[in-house]
Amino acid sequence: MVMWLWKSQTLPNSEELDSFTSSCGDVGLFCFVIRRLFDKIKAYMIGLFFEWYFFEIPGKIKKIWGNYLWFFGRYFAIGDLAREFFAPWKGMTFAREKRNFEIGDALGAWGGNLFSRLIGAVMRTFFLAAGIAAEAAALVAGVAAFIIWPLLFLLIPFSLILGIMLLAV
């Protein structure tokens, strides 16, 4: 790493070397190399921070956001509930009790099946509403996270200035 950092730098001119020699004594070239090495490391670390903050973390936020959307969609079984909206509640159906046709028996089975399907539709409506509300909340939270995350970076200088002002008090 030292060789890479050294190769990327030009050799010091005599004025720079003299200034380092006067401040560092007889080891001016060594002091110059160490100084340049630390400057490169600081620049590299700042670059790494910006890459992490503005590229890596938003990617992770997107992945977590997708996991929440996937989870709520599967937990509330939104697709299954919508597909089987009018299915009988808990599969409870009524069959005719007699082999020959009687109007009372047929209407009783038909009414029972209709009632079971209506109860199923009402219950699935509540579960669908809860699932859609959870999906909407996850969607809003994800959009808010994408908007707020870059803005939090502005709090760093503000916090430093506020901290210094509070120390002065």
Side-chain angles (χ1 to χ4, degrees):
M1 183 171 169
V2 173
M3 291 306 294
W4 174 75
L5 289 170
W6 178 254
K7 284 180 183 178
S8 66
Q9 293 292 327
T10 58
L11 290 174
N13 60 25
S14 61
E15 293 174 5
E16 288 179 323
L17 193 54
D18 287 341
S19 70
F20 279 108
T21 305
S22 66
S23 65
C24 296
D26 294 332
V27 288
L29 184 61
F30 177 73
C31 190
F32 178 81
V33 170
I34 296 298
R35 182 65 153 272
R36 288 283 174 100
L37 180 68
F38 285 140
D39 288 344
K40 280 287 194 174
I41 290 173
K42 283 192 293 188
Y44 181 67
M45 289 180 72
I46 290 171
L48 279 178
F49 172 75
F50 281 108
E51 180 182 341
W52 170 80
Y53 194 86
F54 290 109
F55 294 106
E56 194 173 321
I57 295 300
K60 289 184 179 184
I61 290 172
K62 180 183 172 192
K63 185 177 179 181
I64 291 168
W65 183 25
N67 287 341
Y68 273 108
L69 291 174
W70 178 88
F71 171 76
F72 287 130
R74 299 307 181 279
Y75 183 76
F76 289 100
I78 293 173
D80 295 336
L81 289 176
R83 188 175 59 247
E84 299 171 358
F85 189 73
F86 288 109
W89 178 243
K90 294 191 175 187
M92 294 182 353
T93 58
F94 298 91
R96 291 190 338 219
E97 296 176 3
K98 300 179 182 171
R99 297 188 103 188
N100 54 356
F101 183 76
E102 286 188 19
I103 191 76
D105 190 32
L107 285 176
W110 180 80
N113 288 333
L114 180 66
F115 188 70
S116 179
R117 290 178 187 273
L118 286 176
I119 290 175
V122 168
M123 293 304 290
R124 286 182 185 95
T125 300
F126 287 120
F127 291 129
L128 274 173
I132 291 171
E135 288 278 335
L139 189 68
V140 168
V143 170
F146 269 115
I147 292 171
I148 291 172
W149 180 254
L151 297 177
L152 288 176
F153 182 74
L154 300 174
L155 286 178
I156 294 172
F158 175 74
S159 298
L160 287 173
I161 293 169
L162 183 63
I164 291 171
M165 287 172 47
L166 289 175
L167 282 174
V169 173

